[in-house]
Amino acid sequence: MSRFDWNDLQSFLAMARTGRLTVAARRMGVDHSTLSRRISALEDAMQVKLFERRSVGFVLTPEGEALLGDAEEIESLTVRMGVRLHAETSHLTGNVRIGTPEGFGTYFLAPQLALLGQKHPDLNIELVANPRSFSLSKREADIAVSMARPSQGRVYARPLVDFGLGIYASQSYLDAHPPITKKSDLLTHSWIGYVEDLMWTPELDYLPMVDRNIQPRLHISNVISQLTAIVGSSGLGVLPHFMTRNHPALTRVLPDEVYLTRSYWLITHPDTHDLARVRACSNFLTEQVLSLGADFWKG
């Protein structure tokens, strides 16, 4: 086997994780022709074909699959070396990607980013607020906020905060429909729930905890769109209390009878957990969550 360049191996990892030449090139900060040359150089050095081009993108060959694990070990080693060799300083640079559920990212974290930018002006923050799980081992995020502790994989995970949820409806919806004075009344109303096969975590399956007989009429894949539909008088739905504070059109229904709780978890990967920039962002996030107090999160 000929010698190969570390940049070629990084390009291989980017391609393996994205499956798209242009996306991988953008992640590496090079043009697609440069990345293509690096992949070809690595294949020449290894004397094997690493990718097959298909309609869905670039797919690893069996030889590429075999290389992937070793390449990730080398990548992890370089990260650990960097942690040991570079002492933490107050002047932080580099990128930190934070992956969160859409409600948490939009209604809590996004408004805090100005303060984080003031504390660390040379830090580049990427907020990915999507209804999905994030793979830290594949470097989809440096920090992840999840609604459950991961059941597998090498991660650091700790509880971040518990939050409350309740039933909400617009006042105009309530004025136009029969009154709700007890739980049995809920079954006569229109409901908004998740698209079942797009529910990214079982923790979102709220409605059976209200009443197992509830059958949503409208199914929406993310909580922000659900909130908008509820504000628009499409029906009843379950929402986190912290998301409803700036929506005076919303009214909480049966607050004494229905109160749900869930948790957010803060998750980092062992290979990047001790990086100064990652630790600074994790600490900032935790401090801001706690500073808002239980009333903000639990309603």
Side-chain angles (χ1 to χ4, degrees), residues 129-281:
N130 282 341
R132 53 167 292 196
S133 298
F134 293 87
S135 173
L136 301 187
S137 64
K138 294 182 178 179
R139 301 296 189 265
E140 291 180 347
D142 300 297
I143 300 168
V145 175
S146 179
M147 293 181 65
R149 192 189 194 288
S151 59
Q152 57 186 7
R154 293 191 309 124
V155 295
Y156 285 101
R158 59 181 174 83
L160 181 60
V161 69
D162 296 332
F163 64 99
L165 309 95
I167 301 172
Y168 285 88
S170 72
Q171 190 58 51
S172 61
Y173 173 89
L174 295 174
D175 291 342
H177 292 82
I180 304 173
T181 59
K182 55 187 181 300
K183 285 187 70 174
S184 59
D185 294 333
L186 297 173
L187 297 179
T188 66
H189 285 263
S190 298
W191 278 84
I192 299 166
Y194 280 91
V195 180
E196 188 170 348
D197 61 343
L198 297 180
M199 200 178 296
W200 62 274
T201 174
E203 300 299 317
L204 297 174
D205 197 12
Y206 307 127
L207 297 188
M209 299 184 66
V210 177
D211 191 303
R212 292 192 175 277
N213 294 313
I214 292 174
Q215 297 295 326
R217 181 181 60 83
L218 180 59
H219 300 261
I220 300 178
S221 63
N222 70 83
V223 69
I224 295 176
S225 297
Q226 288 185 17
L227 182 149
T228 304
I230 295 168
V231 170
S233 301
S234 293
L236 307 177
V238 174
L239 295 171
H241 299 313
F242 72 87
M243 289 180 56
T244 67
R245 292 180 173 276
N246 295 322
H247 293 278
L250 290 177
T251 297
R252 190 172 168 187
V253 176
L254 300 181
D256 295 329
E257 288 84 353
V258 179
Y259 184 87
L260 308 178
T261 59
R262 288 292 188 269
S263 300
Y264 286 127
W265 288 73
L266 185 67
I267 305 164
T268 53
H269 194 275
D271 293 339
T272 55
H273 173 79
D274 289 325
L275 286 174
R277 62 180 183 271
V278 172
R279 188 161 60 250
C281 290

